[in-house]
Amino acid sequence: MMKKNIENTIRNIQQHLLQMQNAEGSWSFCFENSVITDAYMIILLRSLEADEEELISELVNRLWRLQTREGTWKLFDDERDGNLSSTIEAYFALRFSGMVAKEDKRLQQAERFIEKNGGFHKAHSITKFMLAVHGQYDWKHLLPIPIQFLLIPKIFPVNFWDLSSYARGHLAPLMLLKDLRFQLRTNDTPQIQELSRFISEVRYSQRELKLFSKINEGIQSLASIPSHLHQQARQFALKYMLQRLERDGTYLSYFSTTFYMIYALLALGYKKSDPVIVKAVQGLKEMACETKNGLHIQNSPSTVWDTALISHALQESGVGPDEQSIEESVDYLVRMQHFKYGDWALESGVRPGGWGFSESNSIHPDVDDTTAALRAITYAAAGNPHIRPSWDRGLDWILDMQNRDGGFPAFEKNKTKSILTSFPMDGAEAAAIDPSTPDLTGRALEFLGRQAGLNNDHPQVKKGVEWLKLMQKDDGSWYGRWGVCYIYGTWAAITGMRAVGVSSSDKYLQRAKKWLESIQQKDGGWGESCYSDQEKTFVPLSFSTPSQTAWALESLICIEDKPTPAIDLGMMALLDMMSGTKGITTQTYPTGVGLPGNFYIHYHSYRWIWPLLTLNRYKEKYG
C-alpha cells in the first residue's frame, strides 16, 4: 500500500512541477519573507514622490493581512509577542503610505507595542538606519566608524575587504549615509520620533572597542591630507556600488542593498530623476510576486535556485535528461552560468564558472547555487560535449572555493576574521564574515561524491569530512546557517558524508541518527522553529513541515539498510502532508534563513522539491 502511495505521490509532484515550468525552461516560485521589503518599498516610493498608488495600495493590503490581533508583525508564526523591528517598519510604512488614518486603532495598537518594548533603540540596526535616513532617529547612535575605514589597505590586519561580500554590499551605502548624516524628508514624511524614547549613552563591549582601535590604527597609517582622505573614501563607496550594478539596475541583485544605494546616491547629490535611480527602482518593482496574502516584494528572486533544485529533483525521480522540459531547464541553467570576475576572485585564481541565486545576478555567485546547478546539468554534461565545459568550469570553481579550514563558505573563501563579528551592527556575528558552515560543506561534499565521483581518499574531500566531524554538536546534530536549522545542518552533513563514502556505522553518523530519531514528532514528521538559530539549540515546532520532514527522512534513509519504525512513521507523515489534508501553516512556515534572528524565508518550492527527492530515495533503496 505504501509503495503504491509513494509512486502516485512522486507522479503527482512531477506533473505539478512540469505544469509550472516557464517557457524559457525555468521555474519561478516566490521567495517570500516577512514585511521588511514591502514596508521599505512603500517608504522608498513615497520618499521619491513616485506616482505608484496602485502598487502602494497592494503592499499596504499585504501589511494589514499580516498584522496580528495584538497589533504587531512577526518574522514567523510562533514568534511569541511579535517582532519589534518588523512592527516599527510596517507602522512607519503604513503612516507614510497616506492611505491610513493616524488614529486607526490598528496603528495605535502597534504604537503601544513599540513603546512597551523599548522604542526604536531596541530595534535592529538596519531598521534604525532606515529611520535615520527619514529624520526619525539620531545618526550619532549609529556606526561609530569613520568612512576612511573603506580605504585601509588589504595588507592591514583589519580592513573593508576582510568583511563578507554581503556586509561590504550593505556597508558602502550605509557608511556614506552616516558620513553625510543624510536625511530625506518630504511634506508627507510621518513624524514619529516620540516613539524613539530617551537613550542615555551607547556602551560598547571590550571586543568592539578593540576592533575600533585596530580600525583607527589602520586609518592613522593612511598617508594623505585628512580632507582628501575623506573625499577619497566617499568616492570609493560610490565607485564600489556603481561597479556592482546589475543589468536590471539593482545593486548586487538584492532589494536591501539597492534600497540603501538609492538613498546614498541622493545624499551625494543625484537627482530623483537620475537614470541610475529610475532603473534601480524599476528593478525593485520587478521583484514583485503574488502570495496568498497579496503582492510581495522579494529581497532577491530565487529563479536560478528553484530551477536548479527542481530540474535535479525531477531527473532523480525518473524524468529523463532527454525530456524536453529537462533539456530546456539545462539550457536555461547553462545560460545563467557566470563568466565575469566578481569580488570572489580577489581570493581566488580560478576562472569564473559559478552560479548566482537570481537571473539578474552576474557577478555574485555562491557555492550552494553552483552545486545545485551542477547537479541539474550532470546527466546532460555526461552525454553532450557542448555542456561538459560548463560542468567542468563549475567543478573547478567549487573546488577552489574551499576554505583553509576544510569547510565551504557561501560567497567568498577565507573571510573568517572573528574580530569582525564585533562590528557595531546587529547581526554582525552572522553577516560580517563568511565562514565555513556545516550545511554548505555537507551540500558541497554531497555533490562532489554523488555527481563528481570523488570520495574520502581525495585530499579536499577528506579535509571537508574532517572539518564536519569537528563541527558536530554534543547532542549529535550540526548547525545549518541557511536553513532552519539543526535538522537542515544535520541532513546536509549526513548526506554529504555518506556520498563521499563515510560508512553508515561511523560513530558521528550514528550519533546524528539517534538525535534525529529523538526529535521525531508524535505525528511521525519533523518540525523545527526559527527560534533555533537564536537560542543556538534545537527548538521544536508544535507541527511538522514537509521540507524538514523530508530532510530528516533522507538522512535516516542514507544510513539504514532497511526501513526502521522511525522511517516508516516518517514516510506516512510525509505522504499525509503531501496529500494536502494538513493545515496551511505546515506548508507556509519559513524553513530558509537569510539572516539569523532577522530574515527568514518561505521558499514556495520547498514543499515539492525535498519531498520528491526523499520519496525517490526511499523507493530506490527499499523498493
Side-chain angles (χ1 to χ4, degrees):
M1 179 67 182
M2 190 193 281
K3 185 181 173 184
K4 194 160 187 207
N5 201 348
I6 288 170
E7 286 172 355
N8 287 339
T9 306
I10 287 172
R11 248 192 326 274
N12 290 341
I13 297 173
Q14 287 173 338
Q15 284 166 3
H16 178 80
L17 289 172
L18 290 168
Q19 283 165 3
M20 297 182 78
Q21 189 174 20
N22 298 322
E24 77 277 14
S26 66
W27 279 269
S28 308
F29 281 83
C30 195
F31 178 79
E32 186 177 359
N33 49 270
S34 58
V35 300
I36 181 169
T37 44
D38 300 334
Y40 282 29
M41 192 65 173
I42 294 169
I43 293 162
L44 177 65
L45 293 172
R46 284 294 185 233
S47 300
L48 297 174
E49 298 174 295
D51 182 19
E52 292 284 356
E53 298 309 297
E54 190 181 338
L55 175 54
I56 291 170
S57 171
E58 288 191 64
L59 295 172
V60 163
N61 288 340
R62 182 172 189 262
L63 291 184
W64 282 135
R65 286 191 193 113
L66 291 173
Q67 190 183 29
T68 67
R69 271 183 297 217
E70 296 72 40
T72 66
W73 282 265
K74 295 182 174 188
L75 293 176
F76 47 91
D77 289 337
D78 56 321
E79 193 169 26
R80 283 183 276 277
D81 300 314
N83 184 272
L84 178 62
S85 298
S86 295
T87 302
I88 291 168
E89 289 156 357
Y91 172 82
F92 187 59
L94 289 167
R95 287 280 307 271
F96 211 161
S97 74
M99 297 179 177
V100 185
K102 184 183 171 184
E103 303 73 34
D104 190 297
K105 285 188 175 140
R106 297 167 294 181
L107 285 182
Q108 290 177 348
Q109 270 185 303
E111 272 177 36
R112 287 193 290 276
F113 174 80
I114 294 165
E115 287 184 313
K116 184 181 160 195
N117 285 276
F120 299 163
H121 296 298
K122 297 285 185 189
H124 194 278
S125 303
I126 286 290
T127 312
K128 293 180 196 170
F129 270 99
M130 181 275 292
L131 292 167
V133 163
H134 295 94
Q136 307 305 304
Y137 192 75
D138 198 324
W139 278 113
K140 71 182 179 188
H141 300 312
L142 288 164
L143 204 57
I145 291 174
I147 194 169
Q148 291 90 328
F149 165 65
L150 301 176
L151 300 178
I152 296 175
K154 289 194 193 80
I155 54 167
F156 206 78
V158 176
N159 64 78
F160 176 67
W161 297 99
D162 284 334
L163 290 159
S164 72
S165 53
Y166 176 89
R168 293 197 307 271
H170 286 83
L171 209 56
L174 293 178
M175 290 200 95
L176 263 175
L177 289 164
K178 163 71 196 272
D179 185 61
L180 292 158
R181 299 289 201 278
F182 179 67
Q183 290 187 0
L184 177 62
R185 297 196 206 206
T186 72
N187 292 334
D188 299 316
T189 305
Q191 299 307 305
I192 60 170
Q193 297 98 318
E194 74 279 0
L195 294 177
S196 65
R197 314 247 322 241
F198 175 72
I199 184 169
S200 51
E201 190 185 353
V202 180
R203 288 205 162 81
Y204 296 106
S205 69
Q206 284 305 112
R207 270 175 65 86
E208 286 173 321
L209 293 171
K210 185 182 171 189
L211 175 65
F212 300 164
S213 157
K214 289 249 181 244
I215 288 170
N216 260 330
E217 279 173 42
I219 293 171
Q220 299 306 318
S221 74
L222 296 168
S224 182
I225 301 162
S227 61
H228 286 189
L229 273 180
H230 207 129
Q231 200 49 40
Q232 270 179 274
R234 287 180 181 175
Q235 282 303 311
F236 174 90
L238 174 62
K239 193 173 166 191
Y240 186 86
M241 295 185 299
L242 294 181
Q243 284 178 340
R244 288 156 184 79
L245 291 180
E246 289 289 7
R247 61 182 176 270
D248 64 349
T250 64
Y251 165 42
L252 289 172
S253 297
Y254 293 131
F255 179 95
S256 52
T257 45
T258 308
F259 175 85
Y260 281 110
M261 177 196 74
I262 290 167
Y263 287 103
L265 294 177
L266 293 170
L268 288 168
Y270 279 60
K271 297 277 181 283
K272 291 176 181 179
S273 58
D274 188 282
V276 177
I277 290 177
V278 171
K279 194 171 182 191
V281 172
Q282 185 57 35
L284 296 182
K285 281 162 60 180
E286 284 165 11
M287 290 184 176
C289 68
E290 276 298 336
T291 73
K292 70 180 177 67
N293 289 307
L295 196 75
H296 172 53
I297 304 292
Q298 301 166 90
N299 190 53
S300 184
S302 55
T303 310
V304 177
W305 176 242
D306 287 327
T307 302
L309 293 176
I310 291 167
S311 178
H312 169 246
L314 286 169
Q315 290 175 71
E316 288 295 297
S317 66
V319 181
D322 51 356
E323 296 273 346
Q324 188 181 345
S325 59
I326 300 302
E327 285 184 345
E328 287 172 356
S329 70
V330 167
D331 287 345
Y332 170 84
L333 289 168
V334 169
R335 289 198 305 276
M336 291 296 122
Q337 188 170 24
H338 290 192
F339 288 89
K340 292 184 193 169
Y341 286 90
D343 286 2
W344 57 269
L346 296 167
E347 296 285 332
S348 170
V350 76
R351 61 186 177 164
W355 276 263
F357 190 68
S358 304
E359 278 188 344
S360 63
N361 180 343
S362 68
I363 53 169
H364 192 47
D366 66 272
V367 167
D368 225 6
D369 275 286
T370 301
T371 60
L374 287 169
R375 282 185 191 91
I377 70 170
T378 292
Y379 290 127
N384 186 333
H386 299 298
I387 291 169
R388 183 61 192 249
S390 292
W391 195 91
D392 288 340
R393 281 181 83 115
L395 176 62
D396 289 346
W397 192 83
I398 284 294
L399 288 171
D400 194 75
M401 284 295 285
Q402 191 171 25
N403 276 332
R404 278 187 287 263
D405 60 16
F408 284 82
F411 299 100
E412 289 176 81
K413 66 180 182 181
N414 301 326
K415 301 294 178 193
T416 55
K417 287 187 180 170
S418 60
I419 189 170
L420 289 167
T421 60
S422 300
F423 213 82
M425 285 192 71
D426 297 319
E429 61 282 358
I433 57 176
D434 190 358
S436 302
T437 65
D439 47 329
L440 294 174
T441 305
R443 296 302 289 146
L445 289 176
E446 200 267 353
F447 160 72
L448 292 172
R450 200 177 251 275
Q451 276 82 26
L454 304 182
N455 62 28
N456 216 4
D457 296 331
H458 187 281
Q460 283 186 259
V461 168
K462 191 174 185 183
K463 210 175 166 190
V465 170
E466 284 167 359
W467 182 84
L468 267 183
K469 288 182 172 180
L470 282 173
M471 291 296 111
Q472 190 176 32
K473 303 290 180 193
D474 291 342
D475 62 7
S477 68
W478 278 272
Y479 171 72
R481 160 69 178 84
W482 299 93
V484 180
C485 186
Y486 289 93
I487 294 174
Y488 186 72
T490 304
W491 159 73
I494 290 173
T495 53
M497 285 162 70
R498 286 293 291 129
V500 295
V502 176
S503 166
S504 295
S505 59
D506 180 274
K507 67 178 182 184
Y508 293 90
L509 295 183
Q510 285 298 313
R511 279 168 61 199
K513 181 192 91 152
K514 283 191 181 118
W515 178 76
L516 281 171
E517 289 173 345
S518 75
I519 60 159
Q520 190 170 17
Q521 307 260 37
K522 283 197 182 100
D523 69 358
W526 280 262
E528 180 175 2
S529 170
C530 294
Y531 272 125
S532 281
D533 67 12
Q534 295 167 54
E535 311 278 339
K536 291 293 176 271
T537 186
F538 174 75
V539 178
L541 274 175
S542 61
F543 52 88
S544 302
T545 69
S547 52
Q548 290 166 335
T549 299
W551 294 330
L553 272 172
E554 189 183 358
S555 308
L556 296 177
I557 292 164
C558 259
I559 293 170
E560 302 287 9
D561 290 332
K562 54 180 191 285
T564 61
I567 290 174
D568 282 340
L569 198 59
M571 287 300 289
M572 287 192 284
L574 184 60
L575 289 165
D576 200 22
M577 279 181 242
M578 297 315 291
S579 70
T581 54
K582 295 281 181 185
I584 191 71
T585 312
T586 67
Q587 310 285 5
T588 58
Y589 190 82
T591 59
V593 181
L595 201 56
N598 191 52
F599 193 88
Y600 298 96
I601 304 137
H602 163 39
Y603 285 98
H604 285 225
S605 59
Y606 275 21
R607 60 178 287 200
W608 309 108
I609 294 164
W610 307 116
L612 178 57
L613 277 168
T614 295
L615 291 166
N616 188 65
R617 294 276 181 262
Y618 181 97
K619 182 183 150 196
E620 264 183 353
K621 189 161 186 179
Y622 307 133

